[in-house]
Amino acid sequence: VGLGLVLIFITGTGALLVVQRELESAVDGEAIRVEPCGDALPFTALADRIQSAAPDGLHLAVLAPDRDPQRAWKALLLNPADPRDRRLATVDPYTGRLISLRPESSALQLRLRELHYELGSGRPGIVVAALAAIGLLGLTLTGLWMYGGAWKNLWRPTLRLRQGGIAAWSDLHRW
């Protein structure tokens, strides 16, 4: 039961990571939508505008463009005096305006990745997830070994209609 719950949790958070962009749009629609007007600013001009709008002590570290012209670009700002002070910004690439600025720890993608890879508990979570993966591999291999003979008949389906309903339903279930 424990292995199953861990695997269901990892599968669920993985599924959420797959639709992470859509979740961001639903949660932070106003903070990530921009109105395209011409071409985006040159990269260096945009970086200069972000740096001038950033609070004191924060420096632009990463600027990530988005493929979608109607989505804001993301920027990571760091404080060299305090390595724990990391903030994510959304930026309008056409005007250079900072749309939002918040601590990195509040980012949806970061939280989902922590839950998915570490089960929200750091290194012990990584160990538990690895053990669950090893357990799943063991279950898969022993299942293949135990039901190895059934694989031979998988591609030769039969439906025993003349032997009654139970036999026919059993055959349908195996397919």
Side-chain angles (χ1 to χ4, degrees):
V1 173
L3 172 66
L5 291 176
V6 170
L7 292 173
I8 288 170
F9 184 79
I10 291 172
T11 304
T13 55
L16 290 174
L17 280 169
V18 168
V19 295
Q20 175 256 328
R21 284 178 61 92
E22 289 78 9
L23 287 174
E24 269 186 351
S25 293
V27 172
D28 287 336
E30 292 301 315
I32 62 171
R33 252 188 284 293
V34 295
E35 189 63 38
C37 52
D39 291 333
L41 291 173
F43 211 75
T44 53
L46 188 55
D48 289 342
R49 289 195 185 181
I50 294 167
Q51 189 58 58
S52 65
D56 288 340
L58 290 177
H59 298 283
L60 178 63
V62 177
L63 179 57
D66 199 290
R67 294 184 306 263
D68 185 350
Q70 293 183 329
R71 285 180 71 98
W73 292 11
K74 293 181 181 175
L76 176 64
L77 299 151
L78 305 175
N79 185 346
D82 183 4
R84 294 171 299 177
D85 188 7
R86 301 166 57 96
R87 304 204 199 158
L88 285 178
T90 52
V91 182
D92 185 334
Y94 304 101
T95 64
R97 179 179 63 92
L98 277 180
I99 300 170
S100 71
L101 182 66
R102 60 180 171 223
E104 183 185 40
S105 60
S106 69
L108 177 65
Q109 183 180 14
L110 180 69
R111 299 299 304 153
L112 282 175
R113 282 188 180 180
E114 284 177 359
L115 289 172
H116 183 70
Y117 293 112
E118 303 172 356
L119 304 178
S121 59
R123 191 158 184 81
I126 293 172
V127 171
V128 169
L131 290 174
I134 291 168
L136 179 62
L137 179 63
L139 288 172
T140 302
L141 293 175
T142 56
L144 289 172
W145 176 68
M146 288 177 64
Y147 294 102
W151 293 103
K152 291 186 290 187
N153 298 325
L154 182 65
W155 305 114
R156 289 184 292 148
T158 57
L159 185 57
R160 299 173 290 175
L161 294 173
R162 292 185 182 152
Q163 294 175 349
I166 293 176
W169 282 113
S170 175
D171 290 341
L172 284 173
H173 177 74
R174 271 189 281 160
W175 283 359

